[in-house]
Amino acid sequence: MAAFEAVARLGSVTQAAAERFVTQSAMSRQIRALEDDLGHALFLRRHRALQLTDAGMQLLRTVTPVLAQLRQTVAQIRAPSVREVLALTTTPGFAALWLVPRLASFTREQPGIDVRMDASFAARDLGRDGFDLAVRYGPVDRTPGQMLFSETVVPVCSPHLFKRGAPSLRDPTDLSCHTLLQMAPDKAGLMPLDWDLWLQSVGAAPVQPKARLTFSQYNETITAALAGQGIALGKRPLVNALLKSGRLIAPLEEVDATRRGFFLIVHPDAAKRPSVQAFAQWLMQQAAASTRERRKGTASVP
């Protein structure tokens, strides 16, 4: 049933297999075994897509709330009575670049609270999927929740890129001599950090770069920048620590090009728990500190 719910929610056997840490063939066998046992097909196999049958939709309506309640009960039983577990869902980039490096300070302050994190682009239903909080990235005027911080955008790269004799980068037109690192468009066909948008924001004309490298996740884009593979658009404050340490440098000017930000959402039922309140307060404090430091420690090209 858990395998069926994952495939139905994600619309993909491959993605469901990755989420549940099994092979694609093993996930397919579980679905086929369930269909054989029920005597009904649960999915219509389309080209590169799965569609629920009437029987599949009927089963999903029952399975979803039952699994959510089961996960919550198991978590309560498994956790020692002196500890609390809170569940957070957020984007991979926010988790890897900003949240995970800071989590140690929270566990030191709150040793009786365990954090379970889901790093995914999927907009989880907090109540249905068993999450207490979410940190989501979106437009400042259309995203629900309490803003942690808005973002500013600055081109970033490794200082070693220039030590290897790469062309200089003093002006946006110099980007034509470099490899640009970027994220792939999302399902809606949008690119959250588009180079053309940044160039327009600084009043520069579009450029034809030496090459483009495209990645599916933002933290992969920054990893490539750290490796000296090209120039990336850095979201501040996510890259603040890397700029402050000098592992990344910011050779060109910073602009508020995206009008996007990161927002904290707390499920109403979870908001009553002291552990969730403590974590939400800690997040807001950390976000305020990041905002204060936003313009500190930015290394530029010597």
Side-chain angles (χ1 to χ4, degrees):
M1 293 299 176
F4 162 74
E5 186 274 338
V7 173
R9 169 166 44 83
L10 297 171
S12 166
V13 172
T14 301
Q15 293 181 35
E19 180 179 274
R20 297 190 57 78
F21 301 102
V22 298
T23 64
Q24 181 180 3
S25 59
M27 181 63 69
S28 296
R29 287 196 297 272
Q30 291 184 49
I31 299 301
R32 285 197 299 270
L34 179 60
E35 290 178 323
D36 291 343
D37 182 64
L38 294 174
H40 290 276
L42 299 175
F43 297 95
L44 296 175
R45 276 71 174 177
R46 307 293 190 190
H47 179 62
R48 295 187 178 180
L50 292 176
Q51 180 181 338
L52 282 166
T53 63
D54 290 343
M57 294 178 64
Q58 181 182 358
L59 182 61
L60 183 63
R61 284 194 293 267
T62 300
V63 165
T64 297
V66 169
L67 284 178
Q69 183 177 2
L70 180 61
R71 292 186 182 109
Q72 183 177 6
T73 301
V74 169
Q76 292 172 350
I77 295 172
R78 179 179 292 142
S81 58
V82 296
R83 306 189 67 83
E84 284 201 56
V85 178
L86 59 84
L88 167 76
T89 177
T90 188
T91 64
F94 180 85
L97 295 171
W98 191 89
L99 182 56
V100 171
R102 290 170 168 79
L103 269 181
S105 71
F106 177 76
T107 56
R108 285 195 301 268
E109 295 173 12
Q110 303 286 345
I113 302 175
D114 294 337
V115 179
R116 177 172 66 86
M117 189 186 311
D118 166 72
S120 170
F121 289 115
R124 308 293 194 195
D125 183 299
L126 301 189
R128 184 193 69 192
D129 297 331
F131 290 100
D132 302 307
L133 313 96
V135 175
R136 290 184 177 150
Y137 173 70
V140 296
D141 55 349
R142 299 198 304 274
T143 306
Q146 185 174 6
M147 180 183 281
L148 290 174
F149 38 67
S150 60
E151 72 173 7
T152 53
V153 179
V154 56
V156 296
C157 61
S158 168
H160 300 293
L161 185 69
F162 298 99
K163 292 179 180 178
R164 294 203 299 260
S168 64
L169 186 54
R170 304 288 185 181
D171 183 88
T173 58
D174 294 332
L175 289 169
S176 61
C177 301
H178 291 271
T179 296
L180 300 187
L181 310 175
Q182 62 189 27
M183 285 184 64
D186 60 17
K187 292 181 179 179
L190 303 175
M191 189 171 293
L193 286 177
D194 182 31
W195 275 104
D196 290 338
L197 177 61
W198 181 84
L199 288 164
Q200 182 181 1
S201 299
V202 297
V207 299
Q208 184 63 39
K210 176 183 176 182
R212 291 181 186 264
L213 294 178
T214 304
F215 302 89
S216 61
Q217 297 186 13
Y218 182 65
N219 47 307
E220 294 171 347
T221 309
I222 297 303
T223 298
L226 289 166
Q229 296 183 22
I231 317 294
L233 280 170
K235 296 180 183 181
R236 301 196 68 183
L238 298 193
V239 297
N240 275 4
L242 296 172
L243 289 167
K244 187 175 181 179
S245 68
R247 295 182 64 196
L248 289 178
I249 58 174
L252 298 174
E253 67 179 291
E254 174 181 302
V255 294
D256 184 6
T258 65
R259 292 199 53 77
R260 291 173 177 259
F262 292 85
F263 296 80
L264 172 63
I265 301 171
V266 182
H267 190 273
D269 293 339
K272 305 171 186 176
R273 292 164 46 200
S275 60
V276 175
Q277 295 171 7
F279 190 73
Q281 182 179 10
W282 174 82
L283 276 175
M284 295 303 299
Q285 291 171 346
Q286 293 292 316
S290 286
T291 300
R292 289 193 299 269
E293 296 174 357
R294 176 169 291 181
R295 297 192 177 277
K296 296 179 181 180
T298 302
S300 58
V301 177

